[in-house]
Amino acid sequence: MISEKMVRLGTHKSVIREIFEYSKQRAAQIGAENVFDFSIGNPNVPAPSSVHEAIKELLDNKDDVYLFGYTSAQGDADTRAAIASDLNQRFDTSFRPDNFYMTCGAAASLRIVLEALTLPGDEYIIFTPFFPEYRVFVEAAGGTFVETRTDDDTFQIDFDRFLAALNSHTKAVFLNSPNNPSGVVYTEESIQHLAKVLEERSAEYGHPIYLIADEPYRELVYDETKVPYLTKYYNNTLVCYSYSKSLSLPGERIGYILVPDEVRDSRQIYAAICGAGRALGYVCAPSLAQHVIAKCAGCVSDLSVYRENRDLLYHSLTDYGYTCVHPDGAFYLFVKTLEPNAYAFCEKAKQFELLLVPGDDFGAPGYVRIAYCVTSDQIRRALPAFEKLAKEYQKI
Ligand code: PLP
């Protein structure tokens, strides 16, 4: 006998990955140029030249043990120092290298944090819409996943619903801003209010309620939008970050967990993070990628294509009669479907070779996610298909 739970997770792929696989099959049948795949958040802009240069310089100047050998379990000290220095400059913070634990991307960061924190009966509050893997990570750590709906029109926090979800079992609240899939950036006002509520409820329940900031899209914002740095608003914040999107390095699997000194029992939490990393076999993040980050922390890919794509898609789709929140960040549009069932809508979209992801797994039935981290050319070629799809519904 083996774990049925794991067989289920392994055989029922995430809906995003299923569509991504279908896209490859369909491309083999009719040609990749005829398939409009908007399923997966795989950045299409190249990594910045500083990353290419750092890799070349490392290969030319360092030996294999340095490049490919094990680093410390929590990550290379120079890498962690470079990250601390970058954040301190940008956010006027005073982090130290020892506040960081290097990971294989944000997914590993989240999984480790959850493993470190969770005790039987713990609940995690997740605002809808959310990254579907959160459910897998929370449940794998033995926590209870508590979905909390945001405002129906803006996807900003609805504090009545949030207050109703909070209770003495709440261990932490997830905040993903800019948000996958809505592209929404939570306002500073809502962060201040959230921090106040969490402080009050932590005092009332006699234990801290942590804020888990999941930030792979922090740098992907448009039009001067500011993303409040959460550790400055709420002391018990743990940051899960990844360079997958900001440096276009998703396959290199590199990110970190930040445990600031201001977190209650910070060193105990950091020790638990190290322990969870060890128990999960997640020690020593990929070493070449760590050395690259030591040289490129603070660099960002050229995001201008994403902005161009957002504007083109948003304006065209709303002209055709679709509705969606104007995204300030990330590279997703979260669009209301033109019939109540998002799966049926996605099937109809497939007839026009448009591959979209139903919102149900993101906790938002009646929506689809469109990942616009594709070429602007793909978007231009797909626009007539989006228009025909809208017209199908206008006929009814
Ligand atoms: N969190 C969110 C909101 C994401 O969208 C993703 C990936 O798309 C992750 C976490 C996982 O990131 P990584 O690829 O760095 O593990």
Side-chain angles (χ1 to χ4, degrees):
M1 290 289 279
I2 58 167
S3 164
E4 283 299 320
K5 201 167 129 192
M6 292 302 144
V7 171
R8 223 177 18 256
L9 276 177
T11 46
H12 293 77
K13 286 203 182 65
S14 84
V15 66
I16 302 170
R17 291 225 161 248
E18 263 175 23
I19 298 168
F20 183 54
E21 293 305 323
Y22 169 84
S23 148
K24 288 193 258 180
Q25 286 164 18
R26 193 70 184 135
Q29 290 164 350
I30 63 168
E33 68 287 1
N34 298 313
V35 182
F36 305 122
D37 183 0
F38 293 99
S39 65
I40 203 163
N42 210 3
N44 74 311
V45 302
S49 56
S50 55
V51 166
H52 291 254
E53 281 151 23
I55 293 173
K56 283 185 203 144
E57 199 188 313
L58 284 162
L59 289 177
D60 287 346
N61 296 305
K62 297 289 183 186
D63 63 29
D64 280 14
V65 175
Y66 180 87
L67 292 173
F68 309 126
Y70 291 122
T71 64
S72 307
Q74 70 272 36
D76 172 64
D78 291 343
T79 306
R80 291 182 289 117
I83 296 170
S85 151
D86 168 50
L87 295 179
N88 292 343
Q89 266 175 36
R90 285 159 62 201
F91 303 114
D92 192 24
T93 46
S94 36
F95 301 132
R96 300 172 296 105
D98 282 353
N99 297 122
F100 295 86
Y101 184 96
M102 300 305 298
T103 64
C104 296
S109 302
L110 290 163
R111 185 64 189 85
I112 292 171
V113 164
L114 288 162
E115 191 73 13
L117 296 183
T118 308
L119 292 173
D122 282 347
E123 296 183 4
Y124 291 89
I125 293 184
I126 287 84
F127 295 113
T128 61
F130 52 81
F131 177 53
E133 295 302 279
Y134 287 169
R135 189 187 295 280
V136 177
F137 301 155
V138 167
E139 290 177 357
T144 301
F145 188 88
V146 181
E147 272 179 53
T148 304
R149 272 175 54 207
T150 49
D151 181 272
D152 298 331
D153 299 318
T154 62
F155 293 130
Q156 292 285 337
I157 299 170
D158 177 321
F159 279 93
D160 289 335
R161 289 173 179 155
F162 176 54
L163 288 171
L166 274 168
N167 66 69
S168 61
H169 298 289
T170 308
K171 189 56 157 283
V173 175
F174 279 48
L175 205 76
N176 169 222
S177 182
N179 180 265
N180 172 9
S182 69
V184 160
V185 173
Y186 296 105
T187 62
E188 183 178 31
E189 200 190 359
S190 69
I191 304 293
Q192 284 164 335
H193 193 178
L194 177 71
K196 186 165 166 282
V197 169
L198 290 180
E199 266 153 28
E200 285 168 4
R201 291 295 180 105
S202 296
E204 185 185 332
Y205 302 145
H207 64 79
I209 301 174
Y210 300 99
L211 189 57
I212 300 178
D214 178 28
E215 307 218 315
Y217 302 95
R218 162 160 288 281
E219 288 77 19
L220 275 69
V221 284
Y222 313 107
D223 313 325
E224 313 291 313
T225 304
K226 295 268 178 296
V227 186
Y229 202 72
L230 296 183
T231 67
K232 304 191 75 164
Y233 294 80
Y234 185 62
N235 282 348
N236 286 312
T237 299
L238 304 170
V239 180
C240 294
Y241 184 82
S242 132
Y243 293 92
S244 296
K245 319 287 173 172
S246 60
L247 288 180
S248 303
L249 294 176
E252 291 308 307
R253 314 306 300 134
I254 190 72
Y256 61 77
I257 299 163
L258 162 61
V259 185
D261 289 334
E262 292 75 18
V263 171
R264 167 117 60 103
D265 299 325
S266 163
R267 293 329 288 167
Q268 275 292 97
I269 302 267
Y270 188 83
I273 299 274
C274 294
R278 182 178 171 197
L280 292 167
Y282 280 174
V283 290
C284 176
S287 72
L288 179 60
Q290 288 195 57
H291 297 313
V292 170
I293 298 306
K295 291 177 178 290
C296 301
C299 300
V300 182
S301 300
D302 176 6
L303 307 179
S304 56
V305 173
Y306 298 141
R307 202 210 136 132
E308 196 185 312
N309 288 355
R310 178 203 63 169
D311 290 346
L312 181 61
L313 253 187
Y314 178 81
H315 293 304
S316 306
L317 265 54
T318 48
D319 274 357
Y320 303 152
Y322 296 95
T323 44
C324 76
V325 168
H326 186 254
D328 287 319
F331 39 47
Y332 307 105
L333 221 58
F334 205 49
V335 178
K336 269 194 183 150
T337 52
L338 301 176
E339 63 179 296
N341 184 328
Y343 288 95
F345 179 78
C346 287
E347 281 307 308
K348 190 159 273 183
K350 260 189 193 168
Q351 293 169 12
F352 299 92
E353 308 302 343
L354 288 171
L355 305 186
L356 317 176
V357 183
D360 299 58
D361 284 4
F362 298 89
Y367 285 83
V368 282
R369 189 188 78 169
I370 302 177
Y372 58 79
C373 46
V374 297
T375 62
S376 304
D377 178 57
Q378 173 177 324
I379 294 180
R380 272 188 219 99
R381 287 184 299 103
L383 288 179
F386 278 112
E387 189 171 17
K388 280 186 209 148
L389 178 63
K391 286 204 170 127
E392 283 287 301
Y393 287 94
Q394 285 151 10
K395 274 192 228 153
I396 298 167

